[in-house]
Amino acid sequence: MIQFAQKALFYNPYLPHPCRIVASTPQTEDTMLFKVRFEDDKLAEEFIHKPGQFVQVSVMGTGECPISIASPPTRHGTVDLCIRKAGRVTEAFHAMGQNALFGMRGPYGNGYPVDVMEGNNLLIIAGGIGMAPLRSLLLYALDHRSKFKDIILMYGARNREDFLFVGELLSLQGRKDVKTLLAVEHDPDGAWEGEVGFVTDLFHKLDINANNTYAAVCGPPVMYKFVINNLLDMGFSKGNILMSLERKMKCGIGKCVHCSVGFKYTCLDGPIFTYWDAINMREII
């Protein structure tokens, strides 16, 4: 009976588990990368997720919100959460210091179909904060490098200060097994050595076969239309374009109906949708 009760608590989807902030690293003026760990050592080691999934983070006395997992499932023990100040809960989370206690439940959502994507080229296209969930996919692919053909990252930001994971991006540029293309929209002092323009301006640098490539896209809503038009022009099928659409999620388990679009729930059926799915879901972007 006691074992049953313990198991029920462990798998209760409503129950946040106590976690602590292990470390925090500033990314931009309003965005921080938090490394967190479950208080329960067994849960910390056994926590399994797929790239593209999310967790529900709760700050006691303030509230709860969904946050994408930024670390890959290949690295156990801790979880990376890249959080931008965008409301009451995220501002409260930023105010907490190292070793602070909070609640976390999950993971939720479908995540990327990595088993299907393996054996193909991987094109990752990110804009701004959209790099956070895609970092999990990118690091997963790099940790399983032999399972993917060409890996290409296209990442755009408003200016140099708005790039997330700058140290990792610089490290990637030194690797020969991944192509890293970066673009900034503004470069007033002319110090940027890369592309100046939108992330879509990087498409002319691609030499890739669309027939055996999966494109993973995440960024501000305005970016999707132009990125997808470029991908379709290159010959990508609608099923090979994978979009992370998580803007309307709230409870994470399909109970609040906040993220319902037609007969689908972003939190249950997504947040990863193919372009084919998206064109049949009005107002999803």
Side-chain angles (χ1 to χ4, degrees), residues 22-273:
V22 176
S24 57
T25 307
Q27 298 296 307
T28 68
E29 189 176 88
D30 61 358
T31 305
M32 188 89 77
L33 179 65
F34 295 93
K35 188 173 290 294
V36 307
R37 180 181 173 86
F38 287 103
E39 281 274 89
D40 185 315
D41 287 339
K42 184 173 184 292
L43 182 57
E45 293 302 323
E46 294 183 354
F47 181 77
I48 298 173
H49 71 281
K50 292 173 65 177
Q53 286 190 299
F54 67 96
V55 290
Q56 291 287 134
V57 169
S58 56
V59 178
M60 284 170 277
T62 303
E64 185 184 57
C65 67
I67 300 292
S68 297
I69 300 172
S71 51
T74 43
R75 305 178 189 185
H76 300 285
T78 58
V79 177
D80 290 351
L81 304 175
C82 190
I83 301 178
R84 181 176 63 181
K85 290 181 185 178
R88 206 159 46 95
V89 178
T90 53
E91 288 182 3
F93 202 96
H94 271 247
M96 296 194 300
Q98 187 170 341
N99 210 34
L101 193 64
F102 67 99
M104 188 164 78
R105 59 185 176 93
Y108 300 120
N110 56 357
Y112 289 98
V114 289
D115 292 343
V116 176
M117 299 163 73
E118 289 174 1
N120 294 278
N121 301 315
L122 176 60
L123 172 61
I124 293 175
I125 305 171
I129 190 71
M131 189 61 216
L134 289 174
R135 176 179 182 256
S136 178
L137 176 63
L138 175 62
L139 295 181
Y140 173 90
L142 293 175
D143 287 346
H144 293 90
R145 189 62 191 89
S146 62
K147 294 184 178 181
F148 292 86
K149 294 182 178 178
D150 293 345
I151 298 177
I152 302 165
L153 169 64
M154 291 169 49
Y155 182 22
R158 285 175 300 182
N159 52 58
R160 288 175 296 165
E161 291 74 23
D162 285 331
F163 277 119
L164 304 179
F165 319 118
V166 171
E168 293 178 10
L169 293 175
L170 293 175
S171 175
L172 288 178
Q173 287 187 315
R175 291 181 60 155
K176 295 182 179 179
D177 60 349
V178 55
K179 189 172 185 178
T180 306
L181 302 172
L182 306 176
V184 296
E185 294 177 23
H186 308 289
D187 180 36
D189 55 9
W192 177 250
E193 296 180 356
E195 188 82 15
V196 177
F198 298 106
V199 69
T200 48
D201 294 324
L202 296 168
F203 273 99
H204 74 277
K205 296 188 174 183
L206 291 183
D207 180 15
I208 198 166
N209 183 353
N211 293 324
N212 63 348
T213 303
Y214 279 88
V217 186
C218 189
V222 68
M223 186 188 87
Y224 284 96
K225 174 183 176 183
F226 300 101
V227 167
I228 288 169
N229 284 343
N230 276 277
L231 292 173
L232 295 176
D233 288 344
M234 291 177 66
F236 275 79
S237 71
K238 296 180 179 67
N240 280 18
I241 300 174
L242 303 168
M243 309 160 67
S244 182
L245 304 171
E246 56 195 42
R247 293 171 59 82
K248 296 183 178 180
M249 294 189 303
K250 192 170 184 180
C251 75
I253 52 177
K255 299 299 182 186
C256 71
V257 198
H258 192 262
C259 69
S260 65
V261 181
F263 57 90
K264 290 193 175 184
Y265 293 86
T266 307
C267 65
L268 295 178
D269 301 303
I272 309 303
F273 294 96

